[in-house]
Amino acid sequence: ASTVSPPPWPPPGGAPPTAMAAVVTGASRGIGLALVERLLATTRAPVLAAGRSALESPRLRALAAEHPDRLTALRLDLTDAGSIASAAGAVPGGRVDLLVHCAGIMHPSGRGENSVSRLEHDAMLQVLSTNAIGPALLTKALFPMLKRKKEEAPSKVVAVGAGVASIGTNGAGGWYSYRMSKTAMNALMKNLSIEGRRNNLAAFTLYPQMVETDLSIPYRKGNPYAELRTPEEVAERMLELVDGYGIEDSGRFVNIWSREDIPW
């Protein structure tokens, strides 16, 4: 039977595929794992799947056995500077074409704070470190590998965003640490989009609405959307948008289903 080869990654115009890589954080489960699976199935890119429990993930181990020359699973703790530096040093080929920030935590307790009286220093620091500070430092570590010449295809940095990150649409309050961290992540991506224009790097935030992951379990009864999307559905749509977006889309905060921009 004939087989169909996956399309090249990134689009033609960049360096040879052997010199490229996609890096996905939070890759041991949920959206991150679905993105890894989708990249392996539809591209030729070497993929670095990073996460705190990446080495213990049965699915990642199975994928590594299926794709021994393309998939590298790596332990990454975004709250630890040494772990971030080690992850950057493990990138195959020393070049990154796609970086997806997918790791995230709602709150160490599993539920966001509904009152300022519930704020705790250590919990806030863990959420901010995981959701904003760690991704910023990982981007810094990978930045030399993401820079491109003007004539090359742009590299892309994607953040999996949250609707609660929007200051302009915040009418409910609550979720203090998580909301603050995701708003900070948006600020990082906006800043990066500005600096990235000088380095042929596009950066944008993609919001998948509520997704069927462990993170959403406490909140599914209040899902404001008609559907609860699966990680696989999200991965497919996100990579479709990533493929289609270019430098002109850099700095956007987009709902992946409506394709509309969300107010900052």
Side-chain angles (χ1 to χ4, degrees):
S2 61
T3 59
V4 178
S5 298
W9 177 266
T18 54
M20 300 173 189
V23 177
V24 181
T25 70
S28 59
R29 59 182 181 175
I31 298 172
L33 178 57
L35 285 166
V36 169
E37 292 181 310
R38 186 77 183 171
L39 285 165
L40 290 171
T42 63
T43 80
R44 296 188 179 94
V47 179
L48 195 153
R52 281 182 295 182
S53 58
L55 297 181
E56 291 77 43
S57 167
R59 183 55 183 153
L60 281 181
R61 285 201 295 266
L63 287 170
E66 295 174 26
H67 306 275
D69 298 326
R70 291 182 55 207
L71 178 62
T72 301
L74 182 73
R75 184 180 185 279
L76 171 63
D77 181 352
L78 286 168
T79 68
D80 182 85
S83 180
I84 292 171
S86 295
V91 173
R95 180 181 172 104
V96 178
D97 282 277
L98 175 65
L99 167 61
V100 184
H101 292 296
C102 198
I105 179 175
M106 174 68 71
H107 191 271
S109 69
R111 296 191 69 93
E113 313 98 333
N114 59 8
S115 169
V116 71
S117 63
R118 292 187 57 201
L119 298 182
E120 297 177 355
H121 175 274
D122 289 348
M124 288 189 76
L125 186 59
Q126 183 177 345
V127 174
L128 286 163
S129 295
T130 302
N131 295 356
I133 299 171
L137 294 178
L138 179 62
T139 303
K140 171 191 172 183
L142 296 178
F143 193 61
M145 308 179 203
L146 287 159
K147 291 182 179 181
R148 294 291 179 272
K149 296 178 181 178
K150 186 176 180 180
E151 62 272 15
E152 294 182 290
S155 61
K156 299 175 182 180
V157 180
V158 180
V160 178
V164 298
S166 170
I167 295 174
T169 62
N170 181 7
W175 300 24
Y176 276 84
S177 297
Y178 184 71
R179 192 185 292 272
M180 290 167 60
S181 70
K182 299 304 280 189
T183 301
M185 187 63 174
N186 275 0
L188 166 67
M189 298 303 287
K190 182 63 176 181
N191 258 16
L192 185 63
S193 73
I194 296 169
E195 182 175 2
R197 291 179 186 275
R198 302 191 292 269
N199 298 279
N200 202 12
L201 179 157
F204 31 82
T205 302
L206 300 180
Y207 172 45
Q209 297 181 358
M210 190 170 287
V211 184
E212 191 178 351
T213 65
D214 292 345
L215 188 73
S216 71
I217 289 175
Y219 306 99
R220 291 180 188 174
K221 288 184 178 179
N223 183 8
Y225 303 104
E227 296 182 59
L228 181 68
R229 303 285 186 169
T230 66
E232 291 74 24
E233 289 176 310
V234 170
E236 181 177 0
R237 176 57 67 89
M238 285 186 64
L239 290 178
E240 175 190 335
L241 294 179
V242 168
D243 283 344
Y245 283 175
I247 288 293
E248 66 277 7
D249 297 292
S250 197
R252 295 179 65 186
F253 177 22
V254 179
N255 181 312
I256 67 171
W257 304 110
S258 68
R259 302 176 187 261
E260 295 176 347
D261 289 272
I262 301 169
W264 292 109

